[in-house]
Amino acid sequence: MACTATPHLAHHRNDHLTVPVDDPESYYFSDESWARFRPWQKRVIHLRNTFIGRLLLAPLIDIVQTLGSAWAAFRRVQVAAMLMWVIHGALLAVLFGWMSHLGFSPLWFVLAVSYPALALTKVRSFFEHRAADDPLARSVINEAGLFWRVLFLNLNYHSVHHDLPGVPWYGLKAVYLHNRDAYQQRNHGFLVKGYGEWLRHFWGKPVDVTVHPGSYKGEGHE
C-alpha cells in the first residue's frame, strides 16, 4: 500500500504538481532528461501523448516501467519493495493458477480485461494536469457525462479533488456545482466539456506535455 500511496500523496503537493521528479505522476520531463533521449524515444513519447497513443501504447509503457521498477528493487536490495513484489507475485500466481484450473486463460484475461482497463484510466488522466505558474491552475475541470463520472468516480472534477482531497467521490460534483464559477476562475479556465473534446482535438495530435517549461532538473514520468 505504501508503495502506491506515498507517491500519490507527493502528487497532491500542489506547489510541486507537474514538476519532474517532485511529482511522481508527471508526464513532463526536464530539459536535461529530454536532451538525453534518442530520436526514436522522443517519437514514442510524442505518439504516447496522442489520445490514441494513450489508449494503445501508454499501458504497455506502464507495464514495462513497472517491471523495470521491480527489477531495480531487487538489484538494489530494497527490502520493503522486494517483499511487496514477492507477495504480489505469489498472489498473482495463485490467481492465475485458479483461473487456469477453471479453464480461463490468464493471457486472455490480461489482453481482454486488464490491458483495456488500464487503457481506460489513461482517458481520465490524458490531460488532467498542465504546467502553469499558478499551482491552482494546474488541474483540469472536466464536465463529463454521467457514464464517465460514474466510471471515474467524479475525478473528472480534478481541480476540486486536488483542492479538497478529503471529499468523498460522491461529493465532488456537488462541491463543484456549488462553487462552479469560483473553481473555473481559480484554475484559470482550465475547463473541458467532456472527454470527447480531447478525442476530437488530440486523437492523432500530441498534447504538449514533454519538456516542463520551468527550470527544473531531473527526470519525469514517462
Side-chain angles (χ1 to χ4, degrees):
M1 181 67 176
C3 291
T4 56
T6 301
H8 190 66
L9 290 176
H11 170 69
H12 270 268
R13 295 182 300 173
N14 286 340
D15 288 344
H16 299 277
L17 194 59
T18 74
V19 178
V21 176
D22 292 341
D23 178 5
E25 297 183 21
S26 177
Y27 278 105
Y28 288 91
F29 300 92
S30 68
D31 287 326
E32 288 184 351
S33 297
W34 187 255
R36 288 199 299 267
F37 289 141
R38 298 179 182 275
W40 70 266
Q41 291 174 307
K42 293 180 180 180
R43 287 194 293 270
V44 168
I45 292 169
H46 284 307
L47 179 59
R48 188 275 312 268
N49 286 342
T50 66
F51 197 89
I52 299 302
R54 288 289 177 87
L55 290 176
L56 301 180
L57 181 61
L60 178 60
I61 293 175
D62 280 1
I63 292 170
V64 171
Q65 288 184 322
T66 299
L67 294 175
S69 67
W71 168 250
F74 283 92
R75 183 165 50 86
R76 298 168 184 168
V77 195
Q78 297 170 336
V79 178
M82 290 169 60
L83 180 61
M84 184 274 293
W85 281 114
V86 168
I87 294 174
H88 179 75
L91 293 174
L92 198 60
V94 170
L95 174 63
F96 283 172
W98 176 67
M99 292 171 62
S100 297
H101 177 71
L102 295 178
F104 193 88
S105 168
L107 178 60
W108 174 251
F109 178 81
V110 170
L111 295 178
V113 179
S114 297
Y115 201 93
L118 185 55
L120 275 176
T121 68
K122 302 303 179 183
V123 173
R124 178 182 63 80
S125 65
F126 177 72
F127 191 33
E128 67 184 4
H129 294 296
R130 65 178 179 181
D133 291 335
D134 185 351
L136 298 179
R138 296 175 186 175
S139 299
V140 75
I141 294 170
N142 191 321
E143 295 183 338
L146 177 62
F147 172 81
W148 297 106
R149 295 201 309 269
V150 173
L151 181 65
F152 297 143
L153 300 179
N154 283 331
L155 286 178
N156 49 290
Y157 302 113
H158 215 64
S159 183
V160 182
H161 172 61
H162 271 263
D163 179 39
L164 302 169
V167 173
W169 71 270
Y170 49 82
L172 290 172
K173 180 184 178 183
V175 172
Y176 170 64
L177 293 179
H178 186 70
N179 304 277
R180 189 172 186 267
D181 292 340
Y183 270 111
Q184 291 187 19
Q185 182 177 7
R186 66 183 280 155
N187 84 338
H188 298 204
F190 189 19
L191 175 70
V192 180
K193 298 290 187 177
Y195 293 99
E197 183 174 328
W198 281 342
L199 175 61
R200 290 191 299 273
H201 292 167
F202 299 108
W203 70 272
K205 172 186 175 183
V207 66
D208 187 15
V209 287
T210 49
V211 178
H212 196 280
S215 56
Y216 302 104
K217 306 295 183 182
E219 296 184 4
H221 167 71
E222 282 190 49

